[in-house]
Amino acid sequence: MTSSLQELAREVAVTGGQLAAEAFRDRPRTAASVTEKDGHFDIVTEADARVERVVVDRILSGAPSSRVLGEEGGWYGEGELTWLIDPIDGTSNFASGLPIFATSVAALRGTEPLAAAVHEPVLGATFHTAGDELLVDGVPFRWPEQSLATREVEILTNAPYERSGLPDSILDSCRTVLDSFRAVRRLGACTLHLAYVAAGWAAATYEYEFHPWDVAAGLQLAAASGCTIVAWDAAGQVLGDPVGNPMDVDRVLVTAPGLDSSHIDWIHPA
């Protein structure tokens, strides 16, 4: 059953991503449909809801005993399987014309991770679990055991987040991160940050201020490729099983297994 769910996750992520790419190419319609959800930095487009509806319908058709949590519409269906989906992660990029966005799909039974897939349609890249492996465009990948220093690698992070009046504590931590890594990249899509580290395209990502659908698939991908995952709940306590409990994850650090980042003063939410 797990293999069929993993294939379903891959199929619906690719389908959703392809629909998003079609909407991305229709620039006038996309630009005209932008509305704010929670301020100017949190937007949604007509395509987000349209892609979500198609993805949800495909999941419920392929796995009827499911309940699905989508970013735009909340809960759909009922059943023993839980799916978390982000129809278009990186909506601000998508709406602005930046080709950095993806569709993300993850399935769990209770706290048991079952399937995960992320499809980045403009690049044409698909990251998904197959058995206990991570496949990147159909090719298995697992991080090798090696020692890495932070100054040798890039970190992907969206922190600190857009807002007015950023406190000095956050800016000070941001300076530490900037000084500690070879480069800091801010792609605007938490899902892709996790997928890229899982795939070995970057060695670290650190995030906070996200929703479960932003990290559910990426955490499974990272675990499948041998990454080190450290996650904290809203009270600042380290979680024992973040991959199986994405709803409880409030902050997360995912790194290559041999990367020593213990000296970093990570950016904390205000």
Side-chain angles (χ1 to χ4, degrees), residues 120-197:
E120 186 178 9
V122 177
L123 185 61
T126 305
F127 315 82
H128 71 100
T129 54
D132 295 329
E133 291 186 311
L134 168 68
L135 299 189
V136 182
D137 293 331
V139 179
F141 174 79
R142 188 169 182 86
W143 273 97
E145 292 295 333
Q146 58 185 327
S147 295
L148 293 170
T150 56
R151 288 183 179 272
E152 298 174 328
V153 302
E154 295 185 349
I155 184 171
L156 309 177
T157 183
N158 290 315
Y161 292 84
E162 293 84 353
R163 66 184 61 197
S164 60
L166 282 172
D168 289 342
S169 60
I170 285 183
L171 296 178
D172 288 342
S173 296
C174 185
R175 292 186 191 99
T176 300
V177 173
L178 286 166
D179 187 52
S180 300
F181 287 85
R182 183 175 68 193
V184 178
R185 297 289 180 254
R186 181 185 174 98
L187 302 184
C190 181
T191 290
L192 288 176
H193 285 177
L194 290 163
Y196 284 6
V197 174

Side-chain angles (χ1 to χ4, degrees), residues 66-255:
S66 297
R67 61 176 193 149
V68 185
L69 177 60
E71 177 177 9
E72 309 308 332
W75 288 102
Y76 308 80
E78 296 180 358
E80 62 171 348
L81 303 179
T82 298
W83 296 75
L84 296 95
I85 64 171
D86 194 336
I88 303 176
D89 185 37
T91 298
S92 185
N93 291 340
F94 172 83
S96 300
L98 294 173
I100 307 171
F101 58 88
T103 297
S104 175
V105 176
L108 303 97
R109 181 188 292 109
T111 60
E112 178 189 5
L114 297 176
V118 171
H119 182 64
E120 186 178 9
V122 177
L123 185 61
T126 305
F127 315 82
H128 71 100
T129 54
D132 295 329
E133 291 186 311
L134 168 68
L135 299 189
V136 182
D137 293 331
V139 179
F141 174 79
R142 188 169 182 86
W143 273 97
E145 292 295 333
Q146 58 185 327
S147 295
L148 293 170
T150 56
R151 288 183 179 272
E152 298 174 328
V153 302
E154 295 185 349
I155 184 171
L156 309 177
T157 183
N158 290 315
Y161 292 84
E162 293 84 353
R163 66 184 61 197
S164 60
L166 282 172
D168 289 342
S169 60
I170 285 183
L171 296 178
D172 288 342
S173 296
C174 185
R175 292 186 191 99
T176 300
V177 173
L178 286 166
D179 187 52
S180 300
F181 287 85
R182 183 175 68 193
V184 178
R185 297 289 180 254
R186 181 185 174 98
L187 302 184
C190 181
T191 290
L192 288 176
H193 285 177
L194 290 163
Y196 284 6
V197 174
W201 297 3
T205 182
Y206 174 76
E207 298 289 354
Y208 64 84
E209 290 195 12
F210 47 73
H211 299 283
W213 49 77
D214 295 318
V215 299
L219 289 173
Q220 290 194 41
L221 300 177
S225 74
C227 291
T228 298
I229 302 171
V230 181
W232 299 262
D233 63 16
Q237 299 300 307
V238 175
L239 291 168
D241 179 21
V243 181
N245 294 278
M247 298 284 197
D248 296 335
V249 178
D250 188 68
R251 289 190 291 131
V252 66
L253 170 67
V254 176
T255 66

